């Protein structure tokens, strides 16, 4: 058995229920899969489930506050957030994720040349960061248009979600809300203004998440942060969503968990047609060029709801998720660590 350190600032359980922590949709499944492949996983950040949410995880999940002996390290990459993780330790509102990450980088990645994968899930690692040039480091990105030297390590879809998604059942479900969006504002204003907001003026809708500047869209039904365990239910009750992406995602073909969270609940993801690699995420029938086309697609989807055509469209979306199965991405991750020289157990 080999020991892999995993640095993630987030939760494994439902945790603090209204935090944005999108990686929670798959983080626990990632750690389980790594351990099921025969590797011991040591969690290197604070046990937020215990200290913030009052949830005691079982013995399968081991945390270490120090600098244990490791064969490899995986980082869910953190970045400076002024006023939060850039402040002095112990000050009000401080979180120590960035300080801890730097300590780990200095000890393992640069100090011991430990094989390291930086999973840049938010595209925050600068393209010219010296870490990218180290022989013991690979950067994994969700994107298809990669930063030079990076590899595609896509947003993983838990296998159980795909295996349990039944197009017949999903097409037959009652979907009283035509349009929803579940997610936070961060950098999405332009895409939201172009695609979602015009449609929201014409159809029943809901936006759930942290949106702090809603002034430009007084007609939009912003319902605020939702509980993490409500996300699936919101999608189950909706006919469609729009994959609203920041420009730094759209221009490289970077999709987030919002894609599989909606598809596996039968909520069809209308996709801006100018998204790089759009046809690798959703069928062309769901591509839209502006808010007017969003409305047209919604009317069409309402006309086929519950029919074989609706079922076939859900099936096509599920089929396009297959390459992003968590088991496939775990194999990429472990093969990458093996290539870097870590004697890790690879997935069976």
């Amino acid at each position: 058995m080999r020991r892999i350190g995993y640095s993630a600032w987030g939760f494994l359980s439902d945790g603090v229920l209204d935090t944005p922590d999108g990686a929670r949709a798959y983080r626990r499944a990632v750690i389980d899969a790594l351990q099921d492949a025969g590797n011991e996983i040591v969690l290197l950040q604070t046990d937020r489930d215990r200290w913030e949410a009052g949830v005691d995880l079982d013995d399968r999940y081991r945390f270490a506050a120090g600098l244990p002996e490791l064969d490899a390290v995986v980082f869910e990459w953190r970045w400076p957030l002024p006023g939060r993780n850039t402040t002095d330790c112990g000050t009000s509102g401080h979180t120590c994720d960035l300080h801890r990450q730097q300590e780990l980088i200095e000890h393992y990645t640069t100090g011991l040349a430990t094989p390291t994968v930086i999973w840049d899930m938010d595209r925050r690692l600068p393209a010219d960061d010296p870490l990218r040039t180290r022989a013991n480091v690979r950067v994994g990105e969700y994107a298809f248009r990669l930063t030079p030297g990076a590899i595609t390590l896509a947003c993983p879809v838990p296998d159980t979600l795909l295996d349990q998604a039944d197009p017949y059942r999903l097409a037959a479900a009652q979907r009283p809300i035509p349009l929803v969006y579940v997610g936070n504002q961060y950098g999405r204003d332009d895409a939201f203004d172009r695609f979602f907001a015009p449609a929201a003026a014409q159809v029943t809708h809901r936006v759930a998440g942290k949106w702090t500047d809603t002034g430009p869209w007084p007609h939009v039904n912003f319902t605020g942060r939702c509980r993490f365990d409500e996300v699936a239910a919101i999608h189950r009750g909706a006919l469609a969503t729009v994959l609203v992406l920041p420009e730094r995602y759209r221009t490289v073909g970077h999709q987030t968990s919002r894609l599989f969270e909606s598809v596996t609940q039968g909520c069809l993801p209308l996709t801006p047609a100018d998204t790089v690699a759009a046809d690798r995420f959703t069928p062309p029938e769901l591509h839209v060029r502006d808010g007017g086309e969003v409305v047209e697609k919604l009317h069409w989807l309402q006309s086929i709801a519950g029919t074989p055509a609706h079922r076939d469209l859900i099936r096509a979306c599920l089929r396009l998720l297959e390459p992003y199965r968590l088991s496939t991405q775990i194999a990429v991750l472990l093969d990458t660590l093996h290539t870097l020289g870590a004697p890790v157990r690879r997935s069976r």
Side-chain angles (χ1 to χ4, degrees), residues 22-347:
R24 193 168 14 168
Y26 47 81
R27 181 180 292 120
R28 189 169 189 162
V30 165
I31 292 167
D32 287 348
L34 289 171
Q35 297 201 127
D36 289 344
N39 304 289
E40 178 187 354
I41 303 303
V42 181
L43 296 159
L44 298 171
Q45 293 274 359
T46 299
D47 182 355
R48 297 180 69 192
D49 291 278
R50 170 175 292 184
W51 299 115
E52 295 183 36
V55 176
D56 286 324
L57 300 168
D58 62 48
D59 292 340
R60 184 176 174 86
Y61 306 102
R62 293 172 290 280
F63 290 80
L67 297 168
E69 184 176 344
L70 299 172
D71 298 301
V73 189
V74 177
F75 291 91
E76 289 185 11
W77 192 248
R78 302 298 298 167
W79 61 95
L81 296 168
R84 197 170 94 183
N85 60 13
T86 59
T87 55
D88 292 336
C89 297
T91 58
S92 178
H94 175 77
T95 61
C96 220
D97 52 305
L98 194 63
H99 291 168
R100 175 61 167 164
Q101 178 175 273
Q102 187 59 34
E103 178 185 36
L104 298 170
I105 287 285
E106 290 175 357
H107 180 75
Y108 295 108
T109 306
T110 62
L112 299 176
T114 303
T116 299
V117 168
I118 295 173
W119 207 345
D120 192 15
M121 297 172 173
D122 292 276
R123 299 192 64 77
R124 295 293 187 176
L125 183 69
D128 60 353
D129 193 294
L131 285 171
R132 293 182 182 271
T133 64
R134 292 190 60 88
N136 62 309
V137 174
R138 290 291 183 278
V139 176
E141 300 177 349
Y142 289 174
F144 284 101
R145 187 173 290 172
L146 293 166
T147 306
I151 62 168
T152 295
L153 192 56
C155 182
V157 186
D159 290 53
T160 53
L161 279 180
L162 274 177
D163 295 339
Q164 293 169 6
D166 177 3
Y168 288 86
R169 176 179 54 82
L170 294 172
Q174 295 298 309
R175 300 184 180 274
I177 301 180
L179 182 64
V180 298
Y181 182 76
V182 180
N184 299 321
Q185 188 166 10
Y186 310 140
R188 289 172 168 82
D189 289 28
D190 290 345
F192 188 84
D193 194 56
R194 180 181 171 192
F195 293 98
F196 195 98
Q202 300 186 49
V203 301
T204 302
H205 65 279
R206 176 185 179 184
V207 177
K210 182 182 178 182
W211 289 69
T212 56
D213 182 12
T214 60
W217 312 291
H219 65 286
V220 173
N221 179 31
F222 292 100
T223 59
R225 287 182 169 188
C226 66
R227 294 164 55 97
F228 178 75
D229 59 2
E230 291 177 338
V231 172
I234 293 171
H235 285 126
R236 277 197 302 271
L239 186 62
T241 186
V242 179
L243 297 179
V244 179
L245 297 173
E247 279 296 285
R248 71 180 190 278
Y249 292 177
R250 182 192 65 79
T251 55
V252 295
H254 170 123
Q255 284 294 343
T256 72
S257 62
R258 305 308 174 200
L259 173 62
F260 75 73
E261 286 174 329
S262 59
V263 170
T264 55
Q265 300 302 324
C267 178
L268 291 167
L270 301 177
T271 306
D274 58 358
T275 301
V276 167
D279 59 346
R280 299 180 71 167
F281 299 110
T282 57
E285 295 93 325
L286 296 179
H287 295 179
V288 292
R289 291 174 295 182
D290 53 37
E293 287 199 355
V294 171
V295 174
E296 291 174 8
K297 295 290 185 182
L298 288 171
H299 289 160
W300 171 60
L301 292 175
Q302 287 174 315
S303 73
I304 66 169
T307 69
H310 186 203
R311 180 187 66 220
D312 290 344
L313 197 53
I314 293 172
R315 180 183 290 110
C317 289
L318 289 168
R319 188 176 299 119
L320 284 169
L321 288 180
E322 284 292 334
Y324 315 116
R325 275 186 177 269
L326 184 142
S327 54
T328 301
Q329 303 311 313
I330 289 298
V332 173
L333 174 58
L334 291 176
D335 282 346
T336 301
L337 289 173
H338 182 76
T339 300
L340 291 172
V344 298
R345 296 275 185 95
R346 291 188 270 182
S347 57

